[in-house]
Amino acid sequence: MDAILKILFSSEEEELYVLDCLSYLMMVMAFITFVTLLFEHVPYGRYASSRYGFPVNVKFAWFVQELPAFLVPLCLVLWSPCSKIIHLPNQLLLLMFFCHYAQRSLIYPFLIRGGKSTPFISFALAFVFCIYNGYLQARYLSHYADYPADWVTRPCFITGSSMWFLGWIINIHSDHILRNLRKPGETGYKIPRGGMFEYVSGANFLGEIVEWAGFALAGHSVHSAAFALFTLIVLSCRGMAHHKWYLTKFEDYPKSRKALIPFVL
């Protein structure tokens, strides 16, 4: 890994500049995605369409597309210079990233029950994004992010890490509820009940938005902020689309339930 980085970058200053540029590019991508999603649903699950490429088995798709966000950081940490990884804030922030993607790539795909195939284009875009973001977050945190010695005791880190943990729990619990909506052999869609689904239609999306917003607050960098913004744009659009779909699909859908923000939106 170190040899590859030396080929790609002539100096650490150049790599840090590229990492900054990648962060701003991700923000631009978030804006473009927002505009696109005003006219198109994210093509997966109930919105999947053959015009987005041939179908990929949903378990295979989730496993392969999310795996780079775990493996790329792991390779960077194990086989490249990591001058900042000895510091506790960097270790904790990397642990947050690893925990999410270990669950997302190594556990979640194998718990999926049924599920519609993923169009190839959606699968390919997610795969590329996970390589991109895995490198961006892990490389910055392991080798460049510089925090004060008392950073983990500061309010922004305590608040951010608490938000991350809360969002992570909401996300995992909401996925558990969705997986168990149907009994073995049943088909069709049902109204999710329990947990944060009592308040919002996109409880799983809300959890992940809170998770990465907390990560950005704790990390206090343009790199983590870009990821949080991208997550907010993509998942809020999904949450709004799901809410409208539920209202159309089910006449008895709870009228008090909001799309994404409890009691508000």
Side-chain angles (χ1 to χ4, degrees), residues 30-105:
F31 174 75
I32 294 172
T33 301
F34 173 74
V35 174
T36 302
L37 292 180
L38 292 176
F39 306 98
E40 290 279 347
H41 289 302
V42 176
Y44 85 108
R46 67 196 66 176
Y47 312 114
S49 170
S50 59
R51 67 193 177 105
Y52 293 105
F54 61 84
V56 181
N57 176 272
V58 65
K59 289 188 177 184
F60 177 84
W62 271 105
F63 171 66
V64 174
Q65 75 189 28
E66 301 291 308
L67 192 58
F70 179 77
L71 288 184
V72 171
L74 184 63
C75 291
L76 286 168
V77 168
L78 294 178
W79 297 305
S80 68
C82 299
S83 61
K84 303 297 183 180
I85 204 171
I86 61 172
H87 302 297
L88 183 59
N90 305 66
Q91 293 172 352
L92 293 176
L93 287 162
L94 280 167
L95 182 61
M96 293 178 199
F97 197 83
F98 274 117
C99 280
H100 176 89
Y101 281 104
Q103 194 277 335
R104 213 62 176 160
S105 61

Side-chain angles (χ1 to χ4, degrees), residues 11-249:
S11 66
E12 291 188 349
E13 290 75 15
E14 181 182 352
E15 184 181 20
L16 182 57
Y17 174 74
V18 169
L19 289 171
D20 292 344
C21 289
L22 289 175
S23 299
Y24 291 116
L25 177 60
M26 187 180 288
M27 292 182 179
V28 173
M29 288 165 52
F31 174 75
I32 294 172
T33 301
F34 173 74
V35 174
T36 302
L37 292 180
L38 292 176
F39 306 98
E40 290 279 347
H41 289 302
V42 176
Y44 85 108
R46 67 196 66 176
Y47 312 114
S49 170
S50 59
R51 67 193 177 105
Y52 293 105
F54 61 84
V56 181
N57 176 272
V58 65
K59 289 188 177 184
F60 177 84
W62 271 105
F63 171 66
V64 174
Q65 75 189 28
E66 301 291 308
L67 192 58
F70 179 77
L71 288 184
V72 171
L74 184 63
C75 291
L76 286 168
V77 168
L78 294 178
W79 297 305
S80 68
C82 299
S83 61
K84 303 297 183 180
I85 204 171
I86 61 172
H87 302 297
L88 183 59
N90 305 66
Q91 293 172 352
L92 293 176
L93 287 162
L94 280 167
L95 182 61
M96 293 178 199
F97 197 83
F98 274 117
C99 280
H100 176 89
Y101 281 104
Q103 194 277 335
R104 213 62 176 160
S105 61
L106 303 178
I107 299 174
Y108 173 78
F110 304 101
L111 297 177
I112 294 174
R113 297 179 180 178
K116 291 187 176 181
S117 298
T118 301
F120 179 77
I121 291 178
S122 298
F123 162 70
L125 289 174
F127 179 78
V128 171
F129 179 81
C130 284
I131 295 174
Y132 181 125
N133 191 52
Y135 164 70
L136 174 62
Q137 304 302 329
R139 184 61 175 161
Y140 177 72
L141 287 172
S142 65
H143 197 60
Y144 294 104
D146 195 12
Y147 297 103
D150 65 341
W151 185 250
V152 297
T153 65
R154 296 192 180 186
C156 59
F157 185 87
I158 294 173
T159 303
S161 56
S162 299
M163 285 175 60
W164 178 88
F165 184 71
L166 175 63
W168 189 57
I169 294 299
I170 291 173
N171 184 247
I172 291 175
H173 182 245
S174 300
D175 283 340
H176 171 76
I177 291 173
L178 291 174
R179 273 195 306 273
N180 290 279
L181 280 178
R182 292 186 292 264
K183 295 178 181 178
E186 286 186 331
T187 59
Y189 290 97
K190 292 187 175 182
I191 299 173
R193 308 278 186 180
M196 288 302 296
F197 281 112
E198 294 299 315
Y199 305 97
V200 294
S201 299
N204 50 329
F205 303 136
L206 172 62
E208 194 161 347
I209 289 170
V210 170
E211 191 179 343
W212 296 121
F215 178 77
L217 180 59
H220 228 64
S221 71
V222 66
H223 315 82
S224 56
F227 181 32
L229 176 63
F230 191 89
T231 301
L232 172 64
I233 294 295
V234 173
L235 297 189
S236 61
C237 289
R238 290 185 189 180
M240 296 297 290
H242 274 32
H243 185 65
K244 291 178 181 178
W245 184 89
Y246 278 126
L247 290 173
T248 303
K249 179 75 173 178

Side-chain angles (χ1 to χ4, degrees), residues 2-15:
D2 187 29
I4 295 174
L5 293 174
K6 286 180 178 178
I7 292 171
L8 293 173
F9 307 108
S10 60
S11 66
E12 291 188 349
E13 290 75 15
E14 181 182 352
E15 184 181 20

